[in-house]
Amino acid sequence: MTKEFSFDIVIVGAGPAGSSAAYSAAKNGAKVAILEKENAVAQTVRTSGVTWIDAIKEFNIPNDCYNPIKNYAFCSPNNTVKISNKEPMAAVLDVRKTYRWLADEAQKQGVQLFLDTTVTDTIKDSDGKILGVKAITGKEEVRFNSKIVIDASGFQSVVAKSLGLVSQWKRFGAGAEYEVTAENVDSETWWLMVGQKYSPAGYAWIFPLGKNIVRIGVGVGKPESNVDPTERLKEIMEKRLGPIEPLGKITPIEFHYGLIPNDGLSRKTVYDRLILVGDSAGQANPLVLEGIRYAIRFGRIAGEIAAQAVARNDTSEKALAPYEEIWKKAIFAKINSASKVQSRWIGLSDDEWDKELDIIKELSVEEFLDFIKAEFGLASIIKLATHHPKIAVRQLFNMVKSATRKS
């Protein structure tokens, strides 16, 4: 006999989007379950964990969950730029610790977390509207009935795919990374490495986690390149290219691999009784392929709106629509503009990357980080294009300004 549970809201995935949605929904009075396929939250790490200090403060992430970054170094085959600030403005998260903290915060609000629980199908009514999900917990079949389902299953978009609402992302980033101990670590400085020897359609990185631990990785855009990021990562580590050499002796701790959507904000994210959030919704910054801050921020909004809909006994698409309106207003134009810049970057030769770093050198740390963060407010773009004397800088930001206006 199949075991059966009933909840107001069932959330698939205990990553930052799922745990944040669960926290917010439960805080607003809903009975909530999170279904996580792994045996522990963040058992597998799939992201390098880059985020920003303003997001850290917004979400009250504990100090022991991240390493603050003050210096931002960029290197191409024949050029290097380092931009510094007195106060840290970026951070590298301890991903496992952060995700578990988010899940713990949700459980403190009364959320039930089901581990080792793999969603196998959806439960639908005669009109095809979702009524919950079927899952395997251990070896046991379980039905999770719910008034609303939130698909926070990440890149795979398990629920939305099962309903036939979405297909696989056409463009995405594939990232491979080793977390290692190293002899010589500058814990306040990250490195982004660009050019053909690092990644033909992406970048490589060194992100310090604190003390003598760093993450060395390679991200490759698909389908723009058929390079295997894992093989390229091994190659640049064996050759100790660029800023890897000064790290001294390197001892691997664990390997991370992940996929992140890079199709822009192309998906519909609200249906009757269903919300998509985080990577399932494509909420990712294409410039550095990071989306944790979006996952937390919009996960909380999704949870709140879902709980309000349950309380009103109206779980229709119209009742859930404010979620999509809010996140689109917040980032839609910015991400579209960032995609324009990324498309330009993907086509750069090594010589052009050398010149691009000369453009980056002209920026203040605030301007540089707003750019990398895809914070393309029209006023700031016009200001940058006006104030920077180099024509290349003006051309770059005029392009972004144009993209922002069209979005």
Side-chain angles (χ1 to χ4, degrees):
M1 185 175 177
T2 302
K3 187 180 287 188
E4 197 163 344
F5 294 99
S6 293
F7 292 90
D8 292 327
I9 300 170
V10 165
I11 298 169
V12 180
S19 290
S20 298
Y23 166 84
S24 182
K27 197 172 182 180
N28 282 275
K31 183 182 179 184
V32 183
I34 305 176
L35 314 185
E36 170 53 49
K37 67 181 180 180
E38 296 197 314
N39 293 319
V41 173
Q43 181 177 1
T44 303
V45 174
R46 297 182 177 87
T47 174
S48 58
V50 166
T51 195
W52 317 99
I53 292 296
D54 56 358
I56 294 278
K57 292 178 179 178
E58 176 186 351
F59 308 135
N60 296 314
I61 294 173
N63 291 341
D64 65 348
C65 285
Y66 66 94
N67 177 52
I69 303 294
K70 294 182 180 179
N71 309 310
Y72 314 95
F74 234 119
C75 76
S76 61
N78 300 293
N79 203 353
T80 299
V81 173
K82 183 182 281 189
I83 302 175
S84 300
N85 198 56
K86 291 182 180 179
E87 297 297 324
M89 297 179 69
V92 180
L93 293 171
D94 182 324
V95 174
R96 188 170 283 120
K97 187 178 287 186
T98 301
Y99 287 14
R100 289 177 179 175
W101 174 77
L102 289 167
D104 286 345
E105 290 295 292
Q107 288 177 279
K108 288 175 185 176
Q109 296 294 327
V111 172
Q112 287 185 246
L113 174 61
F114 292 82
L115 298 171
D116 190 24
T117 301
T118 301
V119 171
T120 57
D121 201 356
T122 52
I123 304 166
K124 299 182 286 289
D125 66 12
S126 58
D127 295 324
K129 294 178 182 178
I130 189 166
L131 300 175
V133 297
K134 299 175 184 177
I136 300 292
T137 299
K139 295 183 179 179
E140 189 175 27
E141 291 187 1
V142 183
R143 286 174 58 99
F144 290 91
N145 304 308
S146 67
K147 298 170 183 175
I148 293 174
V149 174
I150 296 179
D151 187 346
S153 62
F155 184 87
Q156 300 303 328
S157 311
V158 171
V159 178
K161 275 187 187 173
S162 177
L163 290 167
L165 300 174
V166 304
S167 55
Q168 183 59 277
W169 297 105
K170 293 178 181 177
R171 297 182 70 235
F172 57 94
E177 172 187 81
Y178 280 105
E179 187 170 299
V180 306
T181 58
E183 282 184 303
N184 308 309
V185 176
D186 178 354
S187 63
E188 296 182 334
T189 301
W190 83 19
W191 283 91
L192 296 177
M193 300 167 276
V194 294
Q196 294 297 311
K197 66 181 180 181
Y198 295 114
S199 173
Y203 65 98
W205 61 84
I206 299 174
F207 294 145
L209 195 56
K211 298 181 180 178
N212 65 330
I213 299 175
V214 295
R215 294 182 177 141
I216 306 172
V218 171
V220 176
K222 306 290 184 180
E224 287 82 3
S225 171
N226 60 6
V227 167
D228 181 339
T230 303
E231 292 304 313
R232 180 56 59 91
L233 174 59
K234 291 176 181 177
E235 182 181 332
I236 69 170
M237 288 179 66
E238 287 170 2
K239 292 182 177 179
R240 305 184 65 82
L241 296 181
I244 297 175
E245 174 64 31
L247 292 174
K249 183 181 178 182
I250 294 171
T251 305
I253 301 171
E254 65 179 38
F255 177 72
H256 306 154
Y257 186 91
L259 305 173
I260 187 167
N262 193 21
D263 254 351
L265 300 172
S266 56
R267 281 186 177 174
K268 181 178 176 181
T269 58
V270 171
Y271 300 85
D272 285 345
R273 307 172 65 98
L274 175 67
I275 293 176
L276 279 61
V277 69
D279 283 358
S280 286
Q283 293 161 343
N285 169 11
L287 289 185
V288 286
L289 294 176
E290 52 94 14
I292 293 173
R293 59 191 166 117
Y294 294 152
I296 299 173
R297 182 176 299 131
F298 301 131
R300 288 182 177 183
I301 292 168
E304 180 180 359
I305 288 171
Q308 291 169 353
V310 168
R312 294 194 304 268
N313 198 30
D314 180 2
T315 57
S316 66
E317 180 179 328
K318 184 177 180 181
L320 302 177
Y323 157 73
E324 187 167 282
E325 293 167 5
I326 290 169
W327 75 250
K328 280 191 172 182
K329 183 177 180 181
I331 65 168
F332 192 81
K334 296 175 182 178
I335 297 305
N336 281 351
S337 298
S339 295
K340 298 286 186 183
V341 176
Q342 191 218 28
S343 295
R344 176 176 178 270
W345 276 0
I346 284 174
L348 294 181
S349 66
D350 284 356
D351 287 345
E352 288 169 330
W353 264 121
D354 291 340
K355 294 173 183 175
E356 196 80 359
L357 263 60
D358 286 332
I359 296 176
I360 291 170
K361 197 180 297 182
E362 296 292 317
L363 306 179
S364 70
V365 66
E366 291 85 3
E367 291 168 345
F368 169 71
L369 288 180
D370 276 353
F371 188 67
I372 292 295
K373 289 163 66 177
E375 292 296 329
F376 294 118
L378 185 56
S380 64
I381 294 302
I382 293 172
K383 182 179 177 182
L384 283 165
T386 303
H387 288 185
H388 283 280
K390 283 193 175 183
I391 190 167
V393 178
R394 294 204 306 274
Q395 288 172 343
L396 175 62
F397 287 105
N398 281 336
M399 178 188 69
V400 176
K401 179 177 70 173
S402 174
T404 303
R405 281 175 169 166
K406 291 175 184 175
S407 300

